[in-house]
Amino acid sequence: MRCLALGTVVCCLLSGPVMAACLDAQKLGQITYANNSSYFSSAGTHVLEKIKQQASDKHQGYLLLEFNLFPGDGDKKLQQYNLWLASRRIARVKNYLSAANLPLPIITRIRTAAPEDKRDVDVLWCPKQTLANEDTTDKH
């Protein structure tokens, strides 16, 4: 029994970084936030209600919540604040969707090298639950 547990630990340590790969994602919606706010508007609630309806019919795959964070040239404290705010925004969407007891896992991702300054959480449906090594995943 100890050998099996040790083998599992060694296997996990030797494997490279793994992340969810969503090669054929379908965008279900986008939640836009006001400047310096982590609360979505009633329009965002309406979008999330539609997403809940769409997602409740799906039984394979997962939901991917993605926030693209613009790196900017600001100071370190501003970058930390923006990362904290991005985390709060994506958490609020995840909590809202989690409360609906959807049959799908919800994965979150904050991309820290976005090409433009936006304040949106994209909600994507990934039909297949695949994993990819960081070396083989297309980096955007």
Side-chain angles (χ1 to χ4, degrees):
M1 185 64 114
R2 287 184 184 170
C3 184
L4 180 61
L6 181 60
T8 303
V9 169
V10 170
C11 181
C12 289
L13 291 175
L14 294 178
S15 64
V18 176
M19 61 186 244
C22 189
L23 304 176
D24 48 354
Q26 175 189 356
K27 189 170 184 176
L28 299 180
Q30 187 175 55
I31 311 303
T32 302
Y33 287 86
N35 194 26
N36 290 325
S37 176
S38 67
Y39 293 94
F40 48 84
S41 66
S42 59
T45 302
H46 183 69
V47 170
L48 287 171
E49 286 299 314
K50 284 185 175 181
I51 290 170
K52 281 182 2 184
Q53 290 174 345
Q54 293 173 6
S56 64
D57 296 335
K58 302 182 185 310
H59 298 288
Q60 290 187 340
Y62 59 95
L63 289 175
L64 175 63
L65 309 181
E66 188 171 79
F67 189 90
N68 292 309
L69 185 63
F70 184 68
D73 292 330
D75 62 18
K76 195 73 167 167
K77 287 190 185 238
L78 179 60
Q79 290 175 355
Q80 289 174 338
Y81 169 75
N82 287 336
L83 183 59
W84 172 82
L85 190 58
S87 298
R88 298 264 305 177
R89 289 171 171 167
I90 209 164
R92 290 200 190 278
V93 172
K94 183 177 182 179
N95 291 340
Y96 189 91
L97 293 173
S98 294
N101 295 322
L102 296 173
L104 302 171
I106 301 173
I107 309 295
T108 62
R109 175 168 54 192
I110 297 176
R111 293 183 172 216
T112 56
E116 58 184 310
D117 192 13
K118 293 173 57 177
R119 296 183 302 271
D120 304 323
V121 172
D122 294 324
V123 182
L124 308 166
W125 175 65
C126 300
K128 296 179 184 173
Q129 198 165 349
T130 58
L131 296 177
N133 281 334
E134 213 172 300
D135 299 334
T136 61
T137 304
D138 183 26
K139 297 178 184 176
H140 297 287

